[in-house]
Every structure is written in C-alpha cells, then in structure tokens.
Amino acid sequence: TNDENPLQIKIFEGNQMITNLYDSNWYPKNVVVWNKVYKKEVFKGIRYAKGFNHEDELIFTDLYSKDFKVVYTSRKLLYYRIREESIMSNIYSVTNLQSKKELYSKRKLFFADQYSELQKYNRIKYSYYIASGMLNSNAKLFKPFLNAEIIKYVLGNKELHWKSKILFIVKLLKP
C-alpha cells in the first residue's frame, strides 16, 4: 500500500452493518456476500431462496442480526467477474422486479420490529428502483409494481427534474 492510500481496517458488529445499510458510503458493499469471506458458522440456519434474484440481499438481515464481528479492509482481496448474462447486467427483468418487491416487504417487516428509522430509507430505495425502471425501461413491466406511495415519492421528489416527472406521468397514463 502506498502513502496516498493507506490500508484501512475497521471492525463492526453485525447490527452496525444493518444500520449502515442505506449509508451511501457503504451501499452496496455491505449487502452483497460476494465481496466477503465468512466463517462457516455464520451461515448456520441461513439458506438462500431458490428462484430469487439478489438472494444475498434477502438473507442480509438474517445474517447480520447474528452476534459476530465484521472486519473491513480497504485492500482488495476478492474480485467479481461481471458477465453479460448476469442479473447485474439485466436489472429490469420480471424476476428482478418480483425479487425486489419480496425483498422490500421482508425488510419492511424486519425494520418495523427492530430498526424503525430504516423504514423510510427502505421505502425510498424501493420507490426509486420502480420509478427509475418506469423512466428508463419498459414501463409496462413496472406498472403492476406501482402503488400510491411510489407515485407520491416520484411526484414529490424535489431532486427529480420536472421533465422526468412529466415523462413518468405520461408512461403511467399510457396503456
């Protein structure tokens, strides 16, 4: 490591990883499992869901609710290979939409019990995903996943340009 980028090591408790979930300095590094090395015991009683895209996000709350430490290092030790046919290359598919909806619902229940301050961020993240899909992809695919909360989020979002809001309304009203 050179002097400009010194090695960083940070230690977190599992529940700190949950509270960092929507911290822009961490996301998505803390949600995915491919960029970490785990002890086998951490996964005791946890299994990935079959037929679910982003299954590592689905087990996130179960995994980090356990009592263990997470050691973060700035040194790159693992690498991820991006393939053209991967789920990350096709983020707006029906399976991804269904998976995101299930993920949102699971986190909503989990946060209601233990992390109510994260409810808002969970709702915003899901709303943003659906809205960006409406604007950047096949709007017909996203319409079944819309609800009043998402529409309110898009139209009330001060950071979203007025032209994007009009495009969203047009796509919403278009059969």
Side-chain angles (χ1 to χ4, degrees):
T1 306
N2 61 35
D3 291 332
E4 292 177 37
N5 295 315
L7 177 65
Q8 295 177 26
I9 296 177
K10 296 179 184 177
I11 300 174
F12 299 93
E13 299 293 327
N15 64 350
Q16 287 177 294
M17 296 301 283
I18 292 173
T19 58
N20 285 338
L21 177 61
Y22 296 110
D23 182 335
S24 61
N25 295 320
W26 280 94
Y27 189 83
K29 293 181 283 192
N30 66 339
V31 176
V32 296
V33 296
W34 57 260
N35 65 354
K36 297 169 192 65
V37 177
Y38 297 89
K39 287 185 177 181
K40 181 171 76 171
E41 300 82 43
V42 171
F43 279 89
K44 187 175 183 179
I46 296 176
R47 295 291 174 258
Y48 291 109
K50 290 183 181 178
F52 187 90
N53 285 2
H54 307 284
E55 60 274 15
D56 45 359
E57 287 194 61
L58 191 63
I59 66 164
F60 175 82
T61 52
D62 298 332
L63 186 64
Y64 289 109
S65 293
K66 293 187 170 201
D67 186 24
F68 71 96
K69 295 199 182 321
V70 177
V71 179
Y72 167 80
T73 176
S74 59
R75 184 172 295 151
K76 293 181 179 170
L77 303 170
L78 297 170
Y79 295 89
Y80 184 75
R81 184 174 172 212
I82 298 174
R83 297 174 296 112
E84 203 174 294
E85 61 279 351
S86 79
I87 61 172
M88 297 307 292
S89 298
N90 187 13
I91 61 171
Y92 298 125
S93 69
V94 174
T95 307
N96 272 358
L97 277 164
Q98 291 166 337
S99 296
K100 288 288 187 182
K101 184 175 183 180
E102 187 176 331
L103 175 64
Y104 167 73
S105 299
K106 180 179 179 180
R107 284 189 182 160
K108 184 177 179 180
L109 290 172
F110 178 82
F111 293 152
D113 290 340
Q114 301 174 42
Y115 298 90
S116 59
E117 69 278 4
L118 294 179
Q119 280 284 32
K120 173 186 167 188
Y121 299 106
N122 185 46
R123 188 171 49 251
I124 289 170
K125 191 76 176 167
Y126 179 68
S127 297
Y128 178 79
Y129 176 77
I130 299 299
S132 66
M134 283 283 292
L135 293 170
N136 301 312
S137 185
N138 180 354
K140 286 183 182 179
L141 184 67
F142 284 80
K143 280 187 180 181
F145 295 89
L146 280 173
N147 59 38
E149 186 176 62
I150 293 171
I151 295 168
K152 183 179 173 183
Y153 164 77
V154 171
L155 299 179
N157 186 336
K158 293 176 183 169
E159 295 176 16
L160 193 61
H161 194 276
W162 66 269
K163 288 181 182 178
S164 295
K165 290 180 184 182
I166 290 176
L167 178 61
F168 180 82
I169 292 169
V170 168
K171 287 189 173 196
L172 183 65
L173 297 175
K174 192 175 179 181

